[in-house]
Amino acid sequence: MKKNTLVILIIIAVIVILGGCGVSKYNSIVGLDEAVKTSWGTVQSQYQRRSDLIPNLVATVKGAANFEQETLTKVVEARAKATSINVNPDDLTPEKMQQFQQAQGQLSTALGRLLMVTENYPTLQANQNFRDLQAQIEGTENRIAVARKDFNETARVYNSTIRTFPNNIVAGFGGFRQRPYFEAQAGAENAPKVQF
């Protein structure tokens, strides 16, 4: 009887220890998953900040200069497209990430053209409101770059954690899947051409 009781106690102890380790690993993965979602929220927040600044920039440029309507129209259209794409952090697939990046890339390109065109308008450059908005957009672009870098780092930590043993077993049971990274846009390796 004592031997059977000892065996049962040992089996129960092993189950409790393994269960405790599994719960601890699961909770750790949940924490990392939430960190990825928080980083994604920061990325979206920075893109939203840029999107909110664009109407002010366009209004300032319209008021201070009379130039290519097509450029302004492309900025407004790109902003509308970029803000229409919303990616839920729980459903962050590589395809949805690419779609989001493509829309944001079109907006970046349109903004770049707008800022390039304004170089030809000295009166616009002298306008304090425009300079302030231009500085805000440049600052926002820097914030977006930092937020994207931070997201990629958070996703890297999360992805490497759920892929290592024995975390991969716990992640599989918990339904955790890898998160995609922000990647450079096609053609980003080529320097943009500035022509006046």
Side-chain angles (χ1 to χ4, degrees):
M1 214 43 157
K2 281 186 164 185
K3 212 174 193 184
N4 287 340
T5 305
L6 184 60
V7 170
I8 290 173
L9 287 175
I10 291 173
I11 291 173
I12 290 173
V14 168
I15 290 172
V16 168
I17 290 170
L18 290 178
C21 288
V23 168
S24 174
K25 297 231 180 266
Y26 180 84
N27 290 340
S28 173
I29 292 171
V30 167
L32 292 173
D33 186 48
E34 288 303 314
V36 170
K37 290 176 185 177
T38 300
S39 289
W40 179 249
T42 301
V43 168
Q44 287 184 314
S45 173
Q46 293 307 322
Y47 277 122
Q48 184 62 49
R49 182 176 191 273
R50 176 175 72 173
S51 183
D52 292 345
L53 284 172
I54 291 170
N56 294 327
L57 175 63
V58 170
T60 301
V61 170
K62 275 184 178 177
N66 182 15
F67 72 99
E68 295 182 44
Q69 185 63 34
E70 179 186 349
T71 301
L72 291 174
T73 302
K74 285 184 180 179
V75 169
V76 171
E77 287 172 356
R79 176 189 177 265
K81 184 174 182 179
T83 56
S84 70
I85 296 175
N86 189 9
V87 179
N88 182 339
D90 289 324
D91 193 24
L92 202 56
T93 63
E95 295 79 22
K96 289 183 180 179
M97 176 73 87
Q98 186 177 24
Q99 183 183 25
F100 181 82
Q101 277 187 257
Q102 186 177 23
Q104 293 299 335
Q106 289 171 354
L107 180 55
S108 294
T109 302
L111 278 175
R113 268 191 243 116
L114 176 64
L115 295 175
M116 229 173 36
V117 168
T118 60
E119 295 290 324
N120 287 329
Y121 292 87
T123 57
L124 181 60
Q125 288 180 342
N127 182 314
Q128 184 62 41
N129 290 336
F130 178 76
R131 285 191 305 200
D132 291 346
L133 283 169
Q134 188 174 17
Q136 287 289 322
I137 287 179
E138 288 169 0
T140 299
E141 294 299 322
N142 289 336
R143 289 177 184 188
I144 288 170
V146 169
R148 287 173 58 148
K149 181 182 106 14
D150 291 347
F151 173 82
N152 280 351
E153 178 58 21
T154 305
R156 183 196 64 77
V157 170
Y158 168 82
N159 288 341
S160 63
T161 298
I162 68 166
R163 292 179 60 211
T164 58
F165 183 81
N167 295 341
N168 60 346
I169 296 169
V170 175
F173 283 124
F176 295 100
R177 57 183 167 71
Q178 283 190 309
R179 301 295 184 157
Y181 296 105
F182 273 103
E183 297 175 358
Q185 288 182 271
E189 68 278 1
N190 302 320
K193 293 180 182 176
V194 179
Q195 295 176 323
F196 295 110

PDB file of all heavy atoms in Angstrom, residues 46-60 79 111 132-141:
ATOM      1  N   GLN A  46       0.665  56.206 -35.106  1.00  0.00           N
ATOM      2  CA  GLN A  46       1.555  57.110 -35.833  1.00  0.00           C
ATOM      3  C   GLN A  46       1.063  57.339 -37.263  1.00  0.00           C
ATOM      4  O   GLN A  46       1.146  58.456 -37.781  1.00  0.00           O
ATOM      5  CB  GLN A  46       2.994  56.574 -35.825  1.00  0.00           C
ATOM      6  CG  GLN A  46       3.632  56.559 -34.459  1.00  0.00           C
ATOM      7  CD  GLN A  46       3.573  57.903 -33.758  1.00  0.00           C
ATOM      8  OE1 GLN A  46       3.709  58.965 -34.358  1.00  0.00           O
ATOM      9  NE2 GLN A  46       3.344  57.873 -32.457  1.00  0.00           N
ATOM     10  N   TYR A  47       0.540  56.291 -37.886  1.00  0.00           N
ATOM     11  CA  TYR A  47      -0.034  56.483 -39.218  1.00  0.00           C
ATOM     12  C   TYR A  47      -1.269  57.388 -39.146  1.00  0.00           C
ATOM     13  O   TYR A  47      -1.505  58.210 -40.021  1.00  0.00           O
ATOM     14  CB  TYR A  47      -0.407  55.138 -39.860  1.00  0.00           C
ATOM     15  CG  TYR A  47       0.758  54.442 -40.517  1.00  0.00           C
ATOM     16  CD1 TYR A  47       1.138  53.168 -40.135  1.00  0.00           C
ATOM     17  CD2 TYR A  47       1.475  55.052 -41.549  1.00  0.00           C
ATOM     18  CE1 TYR A  47       2.207  52.524 -40.739  1.00  0.00           C
ATOM     19  CE2 TYR A  47       2.540  54.416 -42.159  1.00  0.00           C
ATOM     20  CZ  TYR A  47       2.897  53.151 -41.756  1.00  0.00           C
ATOM     21  OH  TYR A  47       3.953  52.514 -42.361  1.00  0.00           O
ATOM     22  N   GLN A  48      -2.059  57.238 -38.099  1.00  0.00           N
ATOM     23  CA  GLN A  48      -3.229  58.098 -37.925  1.00  0.00           C
ATOM     24  C   GLN A  48      -2.807  59.550 -37.735  1.00  0.00           C
ATOM     25  O   GLN A  48      -3.432  60.460 -38.265  1.00  0.00           O
ATOM     26  CB  GLN A  48      -4.073  57.630 -36.725  1.00  0.00           C
ATOM     27  CG  GLN A  48      -5.354  58.430 -36.545  1.00  0.00           C
ATOM     28  CD  GLN A  48      -6.291  58.307 -37.720  1.00  0.00           C
ATOM     29  OE1 GLN A  48      -6.568  57.207 -38.174  1.00  0.00           O
ATOM     30  NE2 GLN A  48      -6.768  59.424 -38.231  1.00  0.00           N
ATOM     31  N   ARG A  49      -1.755  59.768 -36.990  1.00  0.00           N
ATOM     32  CA  ARG A  49      -1.246  61.132 -36.765  1.00  0.00           C
ATOM     33  C   ARG A  49      -0.877  61.767 -38.102  1.00  0.00           C
ATOM     34  O   ARG A  49      -1.202  62.923 -38.375  1.00  0.00           O
ATOM     35  CB  ARG A  49      -0.025  61.085 -35.853  1.00  0.00           C
ATOM     36  CG  ARG A  49       0.553  62.441 -35.527  1.00  0.00           C
ATOM     37  CD  ARG A  49       1.723  62.293 -34.533  1.00  0.00           C
ATOM     38  NE  ARG A  49       2.130  63.575 -34.019  1.00  0.00           N
ATOM     39  CZ  ARG A  49       3.008  64.364 -34.620  1.00  0.00           C
ATOM     40  NH1 ARG A  49       3.563  63.988 -35.755  1.00  0.00           N
ATOM     41  NH2 ARG A  49       3.338  65.523 -34.091  1.00  0.00           N
ATOM     42  N   ARG A  50      -0.195  60.992 -38.939  1.00  0.00           N
ATOM     43  CA  ARG A  50       0.172  61.496 -40.265  1.00  0.00           C
ATOM     44  C   ARG A  50      -1.079  61.791 -41.078  1.00  0.00           C
ATOM     45  O   ARG A  50      -1.182  62.844 -41.713  1.00  0.00           O
ATOM     46  CB  ARG A  50       1.037  60.473 -40.993  1.00  0.00           C
ATOM     47  CG  ARG A  50       1.358  60.922 -42.426  1.00  0.00           C
ATOM     48  CD  ARG A  50       2.301  60.011 -43.132  1.00  0.00           C
ATOM     49  NE  ARG A  50       1.682  58.753 -43.500  1.00  0.00           N
ATOM     50  CZ  ARG A  50       2.273  57.844 -44.249  1.00  0.00           C
ATOM     51  NH1 ARG A  50       3.502  58.011 -44.673  1.00  0.00           N
ATOM     52  NH2 ARG A  50       1.657  56.737 -44.555  1.00  0.00           N
ATOM     53  N   SER A  51      -2.025  60.893 -41.028  1.00  0.00           N
ATOM     54  CA  SER A  51      -3.259  61.077 -41.783  1.00  0.00           C
ATOM     55  C   SER A  51      -4.029  62.316 -41.323  1.00  0.00           C
ATOM     56  O   SER A  51      -4.611  63.030 -42.138  1.00  0.00           O
ATOM     57  CB  SER A  51      -4.139  59.827 -41.624  1.00  0.00           C
ATOM     58  OG  SER A  51      -5.288  59.945 -42.391  1.00  0.00           O
ATOM     59  N   ASP A  52      -3.991  62.593 -40.043  1.00  0.00           N
ATOM     60  CA  ASP A  52      -4.664  63.778 -39.507  1.00  0.00           C
ATOM     61  C   ASP A  52      -3.967  65.067 -39.930  1.00  0.00           C
ATOM     62  O   ASP A  52      -4.609  66.113 -40.061  1.00  0.00           O
ATOM     63  CB  ASP A  52      -4.736  63.712 -37.977  1.00  0.00           C
ATOM     64  CG  ASP A  52      -5.656  62.603 -37.489  1.00  0.00           C
ATOM     65  OD1 ASP A  52      -6.452  62.080 -38.292  1.00  0.00           O
ATOM     66  OD2 ASP A  52      -5.562  62.253 -36.295  1.00  0.00           O
ATOM     67  N   LEU A  53      -2.666  65.028 -40.129  1.00  0.00           N
ATOM     68  CA  LEU A  53      -1.920  66.223 -40.530  1.00  0.00           C
ATOM     69  C   LEU A  53      -2.120  66.585 -42.000  1.00  0.00           C
ATOM     70  O   LEU A  53      -2.012  67.750 -42.382  1.00  0.00           O
ATOM     71  CB  LEU A  53      -0.421  66.019 -40.281  1.00  0.00           C
ATOM     72  CG  LEU A  53       0.053  66.106 -38.846  1.00  0.00           C
ATOM     73  CD1 LEU A  53       1.509  65.690 -38.751  1.00  0.00           C
ATOM     74  CD2 LEU A  53      -0.127  67.506 -38.298  1.00  0.00           C
ATOM     75  N   ILE A  54      -2.415  65.598 -42.826  1.00  0.00           N
ATOM     76  CA  ILE A  54      -2.477  65.825 -44.270  1.00  0.00           C
ATOM     77  C   ILE A  54      -3.514  66.871 -44.671  1.00  0.00           C
ATOM     78  O   ILE A  54      -3.200  67.754 -45.471  1.00  0.00           O
ATOM     79  CB  ILE A  54      -2.680  64.491 -45.016  1.00  0.00           C
ATOM     80  CG1 ILE A  54      -1.398  63.675 -44.879  1.00  0.00           C
ATOM     81  CG2 ILE A  54      -3.029  64.722 -46.481  1.00  0.00           C
ATOM     82  CD1 ILE A  54      -1.514  62.263 -45.356  1.00  0.00           C
ATOM     83  N   PRO A  55      -4.750  66.845 -44.145  1.00  0.00           N
ATOM     84  CA  PRO A  55      -5.702  67.889 -44.554  1.00  0.00           C
ATOM     85  C   PRO A  55      -5.188  69.300 -44.246  1.00  0.00           C
ATOM     86  O   PRO A  55      -5.407  70.225 -45.036  1.00  0.00           O
ATOM     87  CB  PRO A  55      -6.962  67.578 -43.743  1.00  0.00           C
ATOM     88  CG  PRO A  55      -6.846  66.143 -43.386  1.00  0.00           C
ATOM     89  CD  PRO A  55      -5.375  65.873 -43.254  1.00  0.00           C
ATOM     90  N   ASN A  56      -4.492  69.451 -43.132  1.00  0.00           N
ATOM     91  CA  ASN A  56      -3.932  70.760 -42.795  1.00  0.00           C
ATOM     92  C   ASN A  56      -2.835  71.161 -43.774  1.00  0.00           C
ATOM     93  O   ASN A  56      -2.742  72.321 -44.175  1.00  0.00           O
ATOM     94  CB  ASN A  56      -3.375  70.757 -41.369  1.00  0.00           C
ATOM     95  CG  ASN A  56      -4.461  70.579 -40.347  1.00  0.00           C
ATOM     96  OD1 ASN A  56      -5.581  71.035 -40.534  1.00  0.00           O
ATOM     97  ND2 ASN A  56      -4.146  69.901 -39.265  1.00  0.00           N
ATOM     98  N   LEU A  57      -2.012  70.209 -44.141  1.00  0.00           N
ATOM     99  CA  LEU A  57      -0.948  70.494 -45.100  1.00  0.00           C
ATOM    100  C   LEU A  57      -1.549  70.891 -46.442  1.00  0.00           C
ATOM    101  O   LEU A  57      -1.151  71.894 -47.043  1.00  0.00           O
ATOM    102  CB  LEU A  57      -0.036  69.281 -45.271  1.00  0.00           C
ATOM    103  CG  LEU A  57       1.056  69.403 -46.323  1.00  0.00           C
ATOM    104  CD1 LEU A  57       2.021  70.515 -45.953  1.00  0.00           C
ATOM    105  CD2 LEU A  57       1.790  68.093 -46.477  1.00  0.00           C
ATOM    106  N   VAL A  58      -2.514  70.123 -46.901  1.00  0.00           N
ATOM    107  CA  VAL A  58      -3.137  70.416 -48.190  1.00  0.00           C
ATOM    108  C   VAL A  58      -3.812  71.789 -48.157  1.00  0.00           C
ATOM    109  O   VAL A  58      -3.673  72.585 -49.084  1.00  0.00           O
ATOM    110  CB  VAL A  58      -4.138  69.304 -48.576  1.00  0.00           C
ATOM    111  CG1 VAL A  58      -4.967  69.704 -49.784  1.00  0.00           C
ATOM    112  CG2 VAL A  58      -3.393  68.001 -48.856  1.00  0.00           C
ATOM    113  N   ALA A  59      -4.523  72.100 -47.094  1.00  0.00           N
ATOM    114  CA  ALA A  59      -5.190  73.404 -46.982  1.00  0.00           C
ATOM    115  C   ALA A  59      -4.168  74.538 -46.970  1.00  0.00           C
ATOM    116  O   ALA A  59      -4.375  75.581 -47.600  1.00  0.00           O
ATOM    117  CB  ALA A  59      -6.042  73.449 -45.715  1.00  0.00           C
ATOM    118  N   THR A  60      -3.063  74.340 -46.291  1.00  0.00           N
ATOM    119  CA  THR A  60      -2.020  75.370 -46.234  1.00  0.00           C
ATOM    120  C   THR A  60      -1.403  75.580 -47.607  1.00  0.00           C
ATOM    121  O   THR A  60      -1.202  76.713 -48.051  1.00  0.00           O
ATOM    122  CB  THR A  60      -0.920  74.972 -45.231  1.00  0.00           C
ATOM    123  OG1 THR A  60      -1.529  74.804 -43.956  1.00  0.00           O
ATOM    124  CG2 THR A  60       0.162  76.011 -45.147  1.00  0.00           C
ATOM    125  N   ARG A  79      -4.477  59.371 -49.029  1.00  0.00           N
ATOM    126  CA  ARG A  79      -4.863  59.429 -47.611  1.00  0.00           C
ATOM    127  C   ARG A  79      -6.162  58.659 -47.397  1.00  0.00           C
ATOM    128  O   ARG A  79      -6.298  57.888 -46.446  1.00  0.00           O
ATOM    129  CB  ARG A  79      -5.038  60.868 -47.157  1.00  0.00           C
ATOM    130  CG  ARG A  79      -5.524  60.950 -45.715  1.00  0.00           C
ATOM    131  CD  ARG A  79      -5.902  62.387 -45.333  1.00  0.00           C
ATOM    132  NE  ARG A  79      -6.416  62.429 -43.993  1.00  0.00           N
ATOM    133  CZ  ARG A  79      -7.704  62.386 -43.687  1.00  0.00           C
ATOM    134  NH1 ARG A  79      -8.612  62.268 -44.633  1.00  0.00           N
ATOM    135  NH2 ARG A  79      -8.096  62.434 -42.432  1.00  0.00           N
ATOM    136  N   LEU A 111       2.961  62.149 -50.585  1.00  0.00           N
ATOM    137  CA  LEU A 111       3.476  63.219 -49.728  1.00  0.00           C
ATOM    138  C   LEU A 111       4.853  63.672 -50.188  1.00  0.00           C
ATOM    139  O   LEU A 111       5.162  64.862 -50.174  1.00  0.00           O
ATOM    140  CB  LEU A 111       3.562  62.746 -48.273  1.00  0.00           C
ATOM    141  CG  LEU A 111       2.278  62.809 -47.467  1.00  0.00           C
ATOM    142  CD1 LEU A 111       2.490  62.190 -46.092  1.00  0.00           C
ATOM    143  CD2 LEU A 111       1.800  64.236 -47.327  1.00  0.00           C
ATOM    144  N   ASP A 132       5.866  74.782 -40.433  1.00  0.00           N
ATOM    145  CA  ASP A 132       5.482  74.046 -39.229  1.00  0.00           C
ATOM    146  C   ASP A 132       4.867  72.693 -39.577  1.00  0.00           C
ATOM    147  O   ASP A 132       5.202  71.671 -38.974  1.00  0.00           O
ATOM    148  CB  ASP A 132       4.494  74.861 -38.386  1.00  0.00           C
ATOM    149  CG  ASP A 132       5.130  76.089 -37.760  1.00  0.00           C
ATOM    150  OD1 ASP A 132       6.384  76.174 -37.747  1.00  0.00           O
ATOM    151  OD2 ASP A 132       4.377  76.958 -37.298  1.00  0.00           O
ATOM    152  N   LEU A 133       3.974  72.698 -40.557  1.00  0.00           N
ATOM    153  CA  LEU A 133       3.346  71.433 -40.962  1.00  0.00           C
ATOM    154  C   LEU A 133       4.354  70.485 -41.594  1.00  0.00           C
ATOM    155  O   LEU A 133       4.315  69.275 -41.360  1.00  0.00           O
ATOM    156  CB  LEU A 133       2.189  71.697 -41.926  1.00  0.00           C
ATOM    157  CG  LEU A 133       0.922  72.201 -41.251  1.00  0.00           C
ATOM    158  CD1 LEU A 133      -0.064  72.698 -42.292  1.00  0.00           C
ATOM    159  CD2 LEU A 133       0.294  71.118 -40.413  1.00  0.00           C
ATOM    160  N   GLN A 134       5.263  71.043 -42.373  1.00  0.00           N
ATOM    161  CA  GLN A 134       6.293  70.207 -42.994  1.00  0.00           C
ATOM    162  C   GLN A 134       7.144  69.554 -41.908  1.00  0.00           C
ATOM    163  O   GLN A 134       7.453  68.359 -41.976  1.00  0.00           O
ATOM    164  CB  GLN A 134       7.157  71.053 -43.923  1.00  0.00           C
ATOM    165  CG  GLN A 134       8.131  70.236 -44.744  1.00  0.00           C
ATOM    166  CD  GLN A 134       8.881  71.091 -45.760  1.00  0.00           C
ATOM    167  OE1 GLN A 134       8.917  72.318 -45.663  1.00  0.00           O
ATOM    168  NE2 GLN A 134       9.486  70.444 -46.724  1.00  0.00           N
ATOM    169  N   ALA A 135       7.509  70.314 -40.888  1.00  0.00           N
ATOM    170  CA  ALA A 135       8.290  69.754 -39.781  1.00  0.00           C
ATOM    171  C   ALA A 135       7.483  68.682 -39.043  1.00  0.00           C
ATOM    172  O   ALA A 135       8.035  67.647 -38.638  1.00  0.00           O
ATOM    173  CB  ALA A 135       8.702  70.860 -38.814  1.00  0.00           C
ATOM    174  N   GLN A 136       6.178  68.915 -38.896  1.00  0.00           N
ATOM    175  CA  GLN A 136       5.328  67.926 -38.239  1.00  0.00           C
ATOM    176  C   GLN A 136       5.279  66.620 -39.036  1.00  0.00           C
ATOM    177  O   GLN A 136       5.359  65.533 -38.472  1.00  0.00           O
ATOM    178  CB  GLN A 136       3.901  68.471 -38.069  1.00  0.00           C
ATOM    179  CG  GLN A 136       3.764  69.522 -37.004  1.00  0.00           C
ATOM    180  CD  GLN A 136       3.915  68.931 -35.622  1.00  0.00           C
ATOM    181  OE1 GLN A 136       3.459  67.830 -35.336  1.00  0.00           O
ATOM    182  NE2 GLN A 136       4.583  69.669 -34.751  1.00  0.00           N
ATOM    183  N   ILE A 137       5.155  66.739 -40.350  1.00  0.00           N
ATOM    184  CA  ILE A 137       5.101  65.536 -41.192  1.00  0.00           C
ATOM    185  C   ILE A 137       6.440  64.805 -41.165  1.00  0.00           C
ATOM    186  O   ILE A 137       6.491  63.579 -41.055  1.00  0.00           O
ATOM    187  CB  ILE A 137       4.664  65.883 -42.623  1.00  0.00           C
ATOM    188  CG1 ILE A 137       3.166  66.210 -42.602  1.00  0.00           C
ATOM    189  CG2 ILE A 137       4.949  64.742 -43.590  1.00  0.00           C
ATOM    190  CD1 ILE A 137       2.593  66.603 -43.916  1.00  0.00           C
ATOM    191  N   GLU A 138       7.534  65.549 -41.237  1.00  0.00           N
ATOM    192  CA  GLU A 138       8.847  64.906 -41.163  1.00  0.00           C
ATOM    193  C   GLU A 138       9.024  64.207 -39.820  1.00  0.00           C
ATOM    194  O   GLU A 138       9.523  63.086 -39.757  1.00  0.00           O
ATOM    195  CB  GLU A 138       9.947  65.944 -41.384  1.00  0.00           C
ATOM    196  CG  GLU A 138      10.028  66.430 -42.814  1.00  0.00           C
ATOM    197  CD  GLU A 138      10.925  67.644 -42.995  1.00  0.00           C
ATOM    198  OE1 GLU A 138      11.507  68.121 -41.999  1.00  0.00           O
ATOM    199  OE2 GLU A 138      11.049  68.106 -44.138  1.00  0.00           O
ATOM    200  N   GLY A 139       8.593  64.859 -38.741  1.00  0.00           N
ATOM    201  CA  GLY A 139       8.666  64.240 -37.422  1.00  0.00           C
ATOM    202  C   GLY A 139       7.796  62.998 -37.338  1.00  0.00           C
ATOM    203  O   GLY A 139       8.176  61.984 -36.745  1.00  0.00           O
ATOM    204  N   THR A 140       6.625  63.075 -37.954  1.00  0.00           N
ATOM    205  CA  THR A 140       5.712  61.928 -37.953  1.00  0.00           C
ATOM    206  C   THR A 140       6.309  60.762 -38.730  1.00  0.00           C
ATOM    207  O   THR A 140       6.197  59.606 -38.313  1.00  0.00           O
ATOM    208  CB  THR A 140       4.349  62.335 -38.538  1.00  0.00           C
ATOM    209  OG1 THR A 140       3.795  63.355 -37.710  1.00  0.00           O
ATOM    210  CG2 THR A 140       3.392  61.160 -38.591  1.00  0.00           C
ATOM    211  N   GLU A 141       6.938  61.058 -39.868  1.00  0.00           N
ATOM    212  CA  GLU A 141       7.579  59.990 -40.643  1.00  0.00           C
ATOM    213  C   GLU A 141       8.667  59.310 -39.813  1.00  0.00           C
ATOM    214  O   GLU A 141       8.815  58.087 -39.856  1.00  0.00           O
ATOM    215  CB  GLU A 141       8.150  60.533 -41.953  1.00  0.00           C
ATOM    216  CG  GLU A 141       7.104  61.031 -42.943  1.00  0.00           C
ATOM    217  CD  GLU A 141       6.128  59.966 -43.398  1.00  0.00           C
ATOM    218  OE1 GLU A 141       6.526  58.801 -43.594  1.00  0.00           O
ATOM    219  OE2 GLU A 141       4.940  60.296 -43.558  1.00  0.00           O
TER     220      GLU A 141
END
